[in-house]
Amino acid sequence: MQGTLLGNESETRPLLSQNNSPAADYSSHPRSNSNRQNGAHAALASVEEEDANKLALSKRPVTPLPKFQLFIACFVRVTEPIAFMACFPFINQMILELGIVDDPRKTGFYAGLIESIFALAELCTVFQWGKASDRWGRKPVLLIGCAGAAVSSILFGFSTTFPMMVLTRTINGLCNGNVAVLKSVISELSDETNQSVAFSFFPLSMAIGTILASSIGGYFPHFATRFPAVGDAIPFIKKYPYCMPSLVAAAFPLISGIVAFFFMKETLPPKKAPKPKPATNGGYRSVNGNQVEEEEHEHDEDDEPAVGFRGLLTADINKLMASFGLLQLQGICFLGLLPLFCFTPIAAGGLSFRESQIGLAMSIRGIATILVQLIAFPFLQKRVGTVRLYKFLVFLFMPAFVILPITNVFALKHQTWAIWTGLAASMALYSVGNMAFACNLIMVNDAAPNRRSLGAINGLSQAVSSLMRAIGPGSASALFALSVNRHLLGGHLIWLVLGCLSVISIVAAMILKSDYRQKSI
């Protein structure tokens, strides 16, 4: 396939001009007026070159995506939220029935710990899995992740003690580096002409996995009670009432792993054998009997070694990861607090929704997110540009948070139409802003120093995501409870804090560089 996925060369090395002169003057002496003029002309030329590149890219024919390989990658992606979230609907009841606590009001601490231990364990190993995929290949690491998710999900369903529940969730997190590796796979399956379409399927796969996880965790517990004939035929389902949802959840990574084993192609470029160098004399070669300085040849980026952890911690990548962390924290807080806000009594600052109304609201949000991601993102990313679109989208989270307490004001006045209008506006803003995650996926892959560092940089990105998933839900829920119980700012202190978080996220996005695609020498 013609073209490159990321560009040709790392921006961490000085660029050489066409006449092999230094790219920049790092001396501390003041520049002369001529130097300033030269700098201004160079900046103008750079802008013109960037516009010309964008125009050339828009005229390039779109490379067809390998649909079957992309389907396998998305299928594997669906399994991660299933492994992570399938236990959420029944975890509180399971803790109560196992006798871990004797009061339903005490289940929150233990449930929160079990929910967070997965992300904490993933945080410890996800970078190493990404780095391993740069050495061993993407496919072996994905298969290990699928096997770990299947085994740990099965064991969780047969857990009878709290330590066993924690252990199985820890195993799941430690083995799970698939999300980071799949980001690298999709980058390697696409190029600049079709990456907006390819990466739009990544959040879509997560949304599908989330929906399936909720259905599995809500429908299959106590299966033998609802279907006595099945319980009589398979006694262990009656003895372990939560093994059925765990077995169903385990089937997804098991099947996706089998499909990947037989049909998935390795996307990591193979290492090339070093080319024999012509004999030289101290860096010189003989031309017509004269000693001429040996020219420095370009080298293929696939031959460059993978960059280590410290090599990734450049100023540009650090800013990008900080912005992604803030974005991820906002997304997690919104998704976690929305059903809690809808359930909370109106007098305490919520909406007093019934379960059916909460389910309707969450379904509307999910459908809107999927439609926006599939239809709007590829169109906008090509015409606006990845970084520019990202900087616009991060602005939408602040009004999405601010509108929610306003709907409580309408609820106090019993204005149902206004409640649903405000709630729909908030969820619509979030659904559109959610495209920022796809933008970030592209930016992170573009920022990789070379192709053999894709796994490492995506591992770093997923480590940031795991950290936010570990601290975000518990912190947001605790602050929400504090706001409601003590009626701070009328129960709306949580929204003020999240609004301030959005402002910080906007500032972090504004200082990002305008383009993360690597420049060629």
Side-chain angles (χ1 to χ4, degrees):
M1 184 172 60
Q2 293 294 110
T4 62
L5 305 182
L6 300 172
N8 293 329
E9 190 64 33
S10 170
E11 289 182 351
T12 59
R13 290 183 292 279
L15 303 181
L16 299 179
S17 62
Q18 292 179 352
N19 59 358
N20 292 332
S21 61
D25 180 11
Y26 295 101
S27 66
S28 59
H29 298 292
R31 295 183 178 180
S32 64
N33 290 333
S34 62
N35 286 342
R36 293 193 186 99
Q37 292 175 359
N38 291 337
H41 289 309
L44 180 61
S46 176
V47 173
E48 291 176 349
E49 182 182 359
E50 183 178 349
D51 292 339
N53 290 337
K54 288 181 179 179
L55 180 61
L57 178 61
S58 64
K59 292 182 178 180
R60 282 174 54 186
V62 177
T63 306
L65 284 167
K67 296 179 182 179
F68 185 59
Q69 294 299 310
L70 185 61
F71 166 77
I72 295 175
C74 291
F75 184 25
V76 177
R77 176 67 182 99
V78 166
T79 65
E80 196 269 349
I82 293 177
F84 176 59
M85 301 177 63
C87 68
F88 285 12
F90 62 79
I91 186 65
N92 291 281
Q93 187 64 30
M94 183 178 182
I95 290 172
L96 191 63
E97 291 181 7
L98 290 179
I100 298 171
V101 297
D102 54 4
D103 187 344
R105 293 174 295 180
K106 298 179 181 179
T107 61
F109 170 77
Y110 295 93
L113 182 59
I114 290 174
E115 293 169 2
S116 299
I117 198 69
F118 176 96
L120 287 172
E122 185 182 48
L123 173 63
C124 297
T125 60
V126 67
F127 177 79
Q128 284 74 18
W129 284 123
K131 190 72 175 171
S133 76
D134 289 331
R135 295 193 303 268
W136 306 339
R138 316 300 184 200
K139 187 173 177 178
V141 177
L142 289 176
L143 294 178
I144 293 173
C146 290
V151 171
S152 59
S153 295
I154 293 172
L155 293 177
F156 184 83
F158 290 93
S159 298
T160 56
T161 64
F162 182 72
M164 187 174 179
M165 295 170 72
V166 171
L167 178 61
T168 56
R169 293 287 287 178
T170 302
I171 294 173
N172 200 340
L174 291 175
C175 295
N176 185 36
N178 283 6
V179 177
V181 179
L182 287 169
K183 293 176 183 178
S184 303
V185 170
I186 292 180
S187 179
E188 290 162 340
L189 290 174
S190 61
D191 60 22
E192 290 181 342
T193 65
N194 56 26
Q195 63 181 359
S196 60
V197 176
F199 277 104
S200 68
F201 287 105
F202 203 78
L204 175 64
S205 301
M206 180 181 178
I208 294 173
T210 301
I211 294 171
L212 288 173
S214 301
S215 301
I216 292 170
Y219 182 78
F220 287 98
H222 290 282
F223 199 77
T225 303
R226 295 167 45 235
F227 300 96
V230 177
D232 294 336
I234 312 175
F236 71 84
I237 293 180
K238 185 183 299 184
K239 182 178 179 180
Y240 300 97
Y242 298 101
C243 71
M244 193 64 179
S246 300
L247 290 172
V248 175
F252 283 87
L254 181 62
I255 295 172
S256 67
I258 293 173
V259 172
F261 178 79
F262 286 106
F263 301 108
M264 189 176 196
K265 297 179 181 179
E266 180 58 63
T267 61
L268 180 68
K271 291 184 178 180
K272 298 181 179 179
K275 297 179 181 179
K277 296 183 178 180
T280 62
N281 182 17
Y284 291 83
R285 59 189 172 91
S286 177
V287 177
N288 296 328
N290 299 321
Q291 296 295 321
V292 181
E293 187 175 357
E294 186 73 40
E295 294 180 359
E296 185 177 344
H297 295 278
E298 289 187 14
H299 55 278
D300 196 312
E301 189 183 6
D302 292 346
D303 296 331
E304 295 182 17
V307 175
F309 179 75
R310 291 187 178 181
L312 291 176
L313 300 182
T314 64
D316 289 333
I317 293 179
N318 288 341
K319 293 176 184 177
L320 182 59
M321 293 300 166
S323 179
F324 172 60
L326 292 168
L327 175 70
Q328 184 79 326
L329 185 58
Q330 291 180 96
I332 290 171
C333 289
F334 187 91
L335 292 178
L337 291 178
L338 182 62
L340 186 58
F341 168 74
C342 292
F343 177 78
T344 301
I346 295 175
L351 299 180
S352 292
F353 274 11
R354 300 185 303 273
E355 288 82 354
S356 59
Q357 292 175 306
I358 296 175
L360 176 61
M362 299 300 288
S363 299
I364 293 173
R365 182 204 59 78
I367 294 172
T369 301
I370 292 173
L371 292 177
V372 168
Q373 197 68 53
L374 280 179
I375 299 173
F377 178 72
F379 176 85
L380 292 174
Q381 189 270 342
K382 286 184 179 180
R383 285 156 181 79
V384 179
T386 306
V387 180
R388 189 180 300 175
L389 179 61
Y390 178 83
K391 292 181 178 181
F392 168 76
L393 293 173
V394 294
F395 276 91
L396 302 182
F397 285 87
M398 182 167 59
F401 285 126
V402 171
I403 289 174
L404 289 178
I406 296 176
T407 59
N408 173 252
V409 177
F410 295 132
L412 291 171
K413 298 179 180 180
H414 305 288
Q415 297 178 346
T416 304
W417 67 270
I419 295 172
W420 280 100
T421 301
L423 193 59
S426 176
M427 292 189 296
L429 288 167
Y430 172 83
S431 298
V432 176
N434 192 66
M435 290 189 294
F437 288 96
C439 289
N440 184 269
L441 289 176
I442 296 175
M443 291 157 62
V444 168
N445 282 279
D446 284 348
N450 53 58
R451 297 184 194 179
R452 289 200 169 273
S453 299
L454 276 174
I457 196 170
N458 281 305
L460 178 61
S461 173
Q462 191 61 26
V464 173
S465 174
S466 299
L467 178 61
M468 296 300 105
R469 287 200 294 179
I471 66 176
S475 300
S477 299
L479 185 56
F480 183 89
L482 181 67
S483 302
V484 170
N485 294 336
R486 300 193 178 183
H487 206 63
L488 301 176
L489 291 181
H492 302 317
L493 175 64
I494 176 66
W495 309 117
L496 175 62
V497 173
L498 292 177
C500 293
L501 175 64
S502 297
V503 172
I504 298 173
S505 177
I506 291 170
V507 173
M510 291 303 105
I511 64 175
L512 296 177
K513 59 189 293 187
S514 60
D515 192 0
Y516 281 88
R517 288 173 296 180
Q518 304 298 323
K519 307 294 189 294
S520 61
I521 61 172

